[in-house]
Amino acid sequence: MKRLIYKSVMSEIQEFAGTGRFVLPLSQVGGVPLEACVGMDAKVERGQCIGRSDAPENAFFHSPAAGRVAALSTRVTYEGIAAATVEIEGDPSGAVETLQPIGQDIAELAAETIRERLREAGVSPLGGNGTNAVYASLRAEEDPPEMLMVLCADPEPLLQTQRHVLREAPEKVIEGATLLQKAVGAGRLVFAVSGDQKSLVSGETVEMGRRYPSGHPELLMARATGAYRLDDGRPRKDIYLINAETAMAACRAVREGMPVLDKTLTVGRDGDLAVVVRVPLGTPFSKVFGQMGLAVEDRDRVFTGGPLMGVAEFDPDAPVTKGTDGLFLQKAATLFGYEDAPCIGCGQCIKVCPMKIPVNMMTRNCEFGRIDEALAYDLESCIECGLCAYVCTSRRPLLQYIQFAKKEQEKAELARQSA
Amino acid sequence: MKENRLTVSVAPFWHSGAGIARNSYLGMAALLPAAAVGVMHYRVGALAVLGLCIASSMTAEALMQKIMGRPVTIGDGSAALTGMLLALLLPAGTPWWLVVVGSFCAIIVGKQIYGGIGSHPLNATLVGWVMIRISWGVHMDADAALANLPGFSGLSTLAALRGGYVDAVSLKDVMLGGVIGPIGSAGLLVLIGGLVLCALRLIKWEVSIGFLGGVLLGCVLFGSRILPPGSDASVNPLVMLFAGNVMLGAFFLAPDSTSSPSQPIAMWIYGFGAGLLAMAIRVYGHYYDAGVVFGILLVSLAGPLLDKIRPTARGRE
């Protein structure tokens, strides 16, 4: 069995730019969609606000390019919500319309000031599509979280994004994390790092192991707090979870007045080629692949996130969003298929499950919608790391069965509440 | 505009490469040395039983799946492995019709009527073997079946022990085959094949080790009772460990994926219980040659119950 080891492959972050059309669904990780505040054919500056919302947990959206609004449309986002979408034709390399930098010491800054700035600059959780742990949205609550956790390494083997961001500017990540800690009122600040990153951060750390899924956010949070708080729901209420890139964006928003205009992501052809690039938000996937010399062809698979928890994409021209951490292409000839086959009881899934779930019995019940039985077999403990499906001898789509059952349970819960 | 239609599926997008076919064929490959030695000792008769067993098992599976209107899956090798295991439990020279009946019983009664792989409560190979052993025991007697072959006369290892003829049993023969017994009696080669499968993580090694532990404990506790009362000879535990299909049972029959439990503690109890019971039946039972088979079958019945012994999932403490 191929073991899933985290490997660090460091290279320079490549900047991908180039004029063209940028498609910007106005949605954010963990938030509700925003409203467009520019009209058709309007001229926009790079860094100009194009989407806003009155909800306090929603950050604004800015144009990554100088140009004009070419279309206003609606797109179904990663989360499955229809979001207002602004399409901008223009150049992403010019000067940025920034906000006024704030130079004061963190101690002198009011939490409210930082929150307002982060909102204006579009600092919502970056990355997180396909981590199966929900990154927290900015919020000011009466009961602040006990801990702010910053993921400085990537949760999955193929991804290299966060470790590149941390190496690029560790001092900015640390300062941004401190700003965010103040903004949300978290008691402890904890950096989740891999062994080789310990020297880059200062303060409290929790170290992930060498093998997947030790970098899974749910497991890291449990290690940092000493408890699995599944009854809390997801995201956990006691931990504010973000990654290094979000911390860096927070630092730049406050100190340089820089809005979020681009996203760092690992791009590659699965297996032999992966580089870390920084692209303007809204760049179509096909263009990102094109700049690496990769062509997307019929029946290939394109997925965002990592190879175990990611999400397959049906549109090769879908845009890079604030949630995109990784973007990979698998050629049609290399794909494996799931099978509608019975469980043979080999027990491999039980051996790999990090949550000690009787996966064989749980998924048999999930498959046929027997939700109560699946719950009795610990469905709620599942963190959807995907290892069971990875090792399944019968090649059953176990993660799909689990996600299906969880959705069914949600529906039943809603029906019970409304009744 | 050229449309690119992408393949869409749920995560994960990687797979370890495990598969039923791979497990079956690697299992057969691990048995190949033992089968080859069997053919070497028992000549063409063993080859005939092996070939006929595998062929008729696959035929039975295909036939049954056709009748039931299910997809024919003989390509995954699971029926072939069942056939091979059954053949290794039979003596060379077993009548051809008995081989065919045994294979059909194994595949149809042992496996397909429950819905095929993944659904049968008992090990299919053992069901087939037990049915013909109980119905046509005379033809399954290794001594009688091998009587026509030159150089084979006397008693099977276990029969010799029960008769008190300890000196007639040679440890070397018990480990490397060539005794009066079934085709797969080269216990050492079966052990090596089984260890390879354990190293490749293809079988439930907890069951295998537990089984061997159970056999050893039984050997220590009451192993010498296999000798007739009043005998003052002693039994070499290694003979007990390699004779009478213990190795086949430990590595190929007891850890059968479908009929054995999957929870860590349950696997140990299951393996250990089967091993201990096998020894008890061998020493005290009437079907002493079938100790391993009956031991595994009986403990299999408790498999689902044993699987209730499971750890508390994380987050539910």
Side-chain angles (χ1 to χ4, degrees):
Chain A
M1 188 177 103
K2 193 165 61 170
R3 297 231 169 124
L4 299 168
I5 309 269
Y6 293 110
K7 280 194 203 113
S8 159
V9 185
M10 300 305 275
S11 59
E12 288 305 311
I13 298 180
Q14 299 180 31
E15 304 271 347
F16 279 6
T19 55
R21 181 178 281 230
F22 299 92
V23 181
L24 306 157
L26 301 177
S27 67
Q28 68 173 55
V29 176
V32 293
L34 300 87
E35 281 160 32
C37 58
V38 284
M40 185 66 192
D41 279 326
K43 190 170 167 296
V44 289
E45 293 300 322
R46 186 165 179 231
Q48 181 185 330
C49 180
I50 56 169
R52 53 198 313 145
S53 159
D54 292 334
E57 73 274 16
N58 263 16
F60 296 172
F61 215 102
H62 304 79
S63 169
R68 66 175 190 90
V69 177
L72 291 171
S73 56
T74 304
R75 269 193 92 86
V76 176
T77 65
Y78 168 89
E79 288 88 1
I81 349 173
T85 302
V86 180
E87 299 186 19
I88 288 171
E89 199 85 57
D91 177 14
S93 56
V96 180
E97 194 178 77
T98 56
L99 303 159
Q100 186 65 35
I102 303 174
Q104 279 161 292
D105 220 48
I106 294 177
E108 295 165 24
L109 279 171
E112 184 56 41
T113 318
I114 306 174
R115 277 204 299 272
E116 195 47 41
R117 166 51 56 99
L118 296 180
R119 207 158 98 82
E120 282 169 7
V123 183
S124 61
L126 299 177
N129 279 9
T131 32
N132 293 342
V134 186
Y135 287 2
S137 289
L138 194 60
R139 59 195 175 179
E141 281 183 7
E142 293 73 48
D143 55 332
E146 289 154 32
M147 182 189 292
L148 168 68
M149 179 177 271
V150 186
L151 303 176
C152 297
D154 299 271
E156 290 196 56
L158 213 50
L159 295 174
Q160 303 287 335
T161 312
Q162 299 308 324
R163 56 170 61 244
H164 276 75
V165 170
L166 180 70
R167 190 198 53 174
E168 192 184 27
E171 67 293 339
K172 284 188 187 173
V173 171
I174 294 167
E175 185 173 7
T178 319
L179 285 162
L180 273 162
Q181 183 191 10
K182 174 118 192 201
V184 299
R188 285 162 70 194
L189 172 60
V190 177
F191 294 94
V193 292
S194 64
D196 55 327
Q197 292 178 308
K198 269 193 157 169
S199 56
L200 293 176
V201 295
S202 55
E204 199 181 338
T205 58
V206 53
E207 193 182 327
M208 58 188 256
R210 286 181 60 243
R211 281 171 67 181
Y212 183 80
S214 64
H216 192 294
E218 291 287 348
L219 298 181
L220 289 170
M221 289 192 286
R223 279 187 53 199
T225 58
Y228 295 88
R229 293 280 290 277
L230 303 169
D231 47 350
D232 245 15
R234 290 174 183 142
R236 282 173 73 150
K237 294 207 172 58
D238 57 335
I239 299 188
Y240 188 89
L241 178 72
I242 55 158
N243 58 20
E245 198 181 5
T246 315
M248 175 130 128
C251 175
R252 296 187 71 195
V254 174
R255 297 306 184 205
E256 302 165 26
M258 187 70 174
V260 178
L261 301 181
D262 44 31
K263 178 74 185 84
T264 314
L265 60 154
T266 314
V267 185
R269 181 168 57 198
D270 182 20
D272 59 348
L273 189 67
V275 294
V276 178
V277 301
R278 182 163 287 144
V279 298
L281 292 171
T283 310
F285 292 164
S286 53
K287 194 170 158 190
V288 180
F289 285 128
Q291 293 201 359
M292 289 187 63
L294 296 175
V296 181
E297 287 166 321
D298 209 30
R299 282 160 214 277
D300 288 354
R301 181 155 61 198
V302 169
F303 63 88
T304 59
L308 288 127
M309 302 189 285
V311 172
E313 180 57 57
F314 59 88
D315 178 7
D317 297 317
V320 171
T321 67
K322 288 183 184 178
T324 316
D325 255 339
L327 178 58
F328 295 95
L329 176 67
Q330 286 180 316
K331 301 307 287 179
T334 67
L335 298 183
F336 84 97
Y338 287 107
E339 282 165 36
D340 179 21
C343 169
I344 62 162
C346 68
Q348 296 286 349
C349 47
I350 294 172
K351 282 188 179 161
V352 295
C353 181
M355 302 301 277
K356 299 203 267 182
I357 298 170
V359 188
N360 56 346
M361 297 309 292
M362 193 250 291
T363 51
R364 283 183 210 199
N365 285 301
C366 289
E367 180 180 3
F368 297 105
R370 291 158 59 100
I371 307 302
D372 290 339
E373 289 84 351
L375 287 172
Y377 283 113
D378 307 326
L379 174 66
E380 281 168 318
S381 285
C382 178
I383 56 171
E384 300 177 30
C385 67
L387 269 182
C388 49
Y390 173 78
V391 300
C392 182
T393 305
S394 285
R395 307 197 168 188
R396 284 157 59 81
L398 297 181
L399 188 55
Q400 179 175 14
Y401 294 149
I402 292 167
Q403 288 171 346
F404 163 73
K406 285 188 174 177
K407 274 272 177 283
E408 289 295 302
Q409 189 211 348
E410 262 173 48
K411 273 201 293 196
E413 201 67 47
L414 282 178
R416 205 171 303 146
Q417 278 167 16
S418 63
Chain B
M1 192 184 124
K2 186 175 159 283
E3 276 285 322
N4 273 348
R5 288 163 308 162
L6 297 178
T7 303
V8 180
S9 76
V10 282
F13 307 115
W14 282 357
H15 193 273
S16 64
I20 299 172
R22 199 175 78 157
N23 282 9
S24 304
Y25 292 124
L26 282 175
M28 290 176 80
L31 285 170
L32 216 50
V37 167
V39 172
M40 206 179 82
H41 285 304
Y42 310 112
R43 306 292 162 178
V44 71
L47 199 61
V49 171
L50 271 163
L52 188 58
C53 231
I54 295 174
S56 52
S57 291
M58 292 173 76
T59 311
E61 176 134 316
L63 208 66
M64 199 63 188
Q65 286 175 331
K66 271 262 183 265
I67 291 170
M68 295 193 299
R70 292 171 143 252
V72 175
T73 59
I74 53 169
D76 69 16
S78 131
L81 178 62
T82 302
M84 188 166 181
L85 280 167
L86 180 61
L88 293 178
L89 290 174
L90 296 175
T94 309
W96 67 266
W97 55 267
L98 193 57
V99 173
V100 174
V101 170
S103 305
F104 271 65
C105 285
I107 294 295
I108 295 174
V109 183
K111 183 175 169 192
Q112 286 299 334
I113 56 165
Y114 297 106
I117 189 166
S119 310
H120 49 95
L122 299 170
N123 185 318
T125 309
L126 300 184
V127 170
W129 191 88
V130 165
M131 288 178 78
I132 55 173
R133 170 70 181 81
I134 291 176
S135 309
W136 292 280
V138 176
H139 297 284
M140 300 272 289
D141 179 4
D143 189 14
L146 292 176
N148 302 333
L149 282 171
F152 288 96
S153 64
L155 292 166
S156 70
T157 310
L158 294 179
L161 288 177
R162 283 180 66 119
Y165 311 113
V166 182
D167 297 337
V169 176
S170 129
L171 178 62
K172 177 173 152 283
D173 284 349
V174 169
M175 287 168 82
L176 297 176
V179 292
I180 305 289
I183 296 169
S185 50
L188 186 63
L189 296 171
V190 178
L191 168 69
I192 292 169
L195 288 177
V196 170
L197 291 189
C198 281
L200 292 173
R201 300 272 190 275
L202 290 178
I203 57 174
K204 299 171 177 169
W205 60 269
E206 295 91 338
V207 171
S208 305
I209 307 300
F211 188 89
L212 293 180
V215 168
L216 270 180
L217 183 72
C219 205
V220 170
L221 289 182
F222 47 76
S224 55
R225 302 277 181 87
I226 194 170
L227 301 169
S231 168
D232 53 359
S234 65
V235 184
N236 186 345
L238 279 177
V239 169
M240 292 294 262
L241 206 53
F242 282 96
N245 305 320
V246 167
M247 290 302 164
L248 270 176
F251 292 98
F252 293 89
L253 299 169
D256 171 50
S257 60
T258 304
S259 57
S260 60
S262 303
Q263 293 292 345
I265 297 173
M267 286 192 285
W268 283 105
I269 298 177
Y270 169 88
F272 189 81
L276 198 60
L277 205 54
M279 282 307 281
I281 295 170
R282 167 184 295 185
V283 172
Y284 299 110
H286 172 65
Y287 289 100
Y288 59 87
D289 57 323
V292 167
V293 173
F294 282 133
I296 295 170
L297 279 178
L298 288 173
V299 179
S300 279
L301 294 173
L305 201 61
L306 288 174
D307 247 349
K308 298 263 178 213
I309 308 170
R310 59 182 173 94
T312 313
R314 297 243 157 86
R316 305 198 81 188
E317 290 95 348

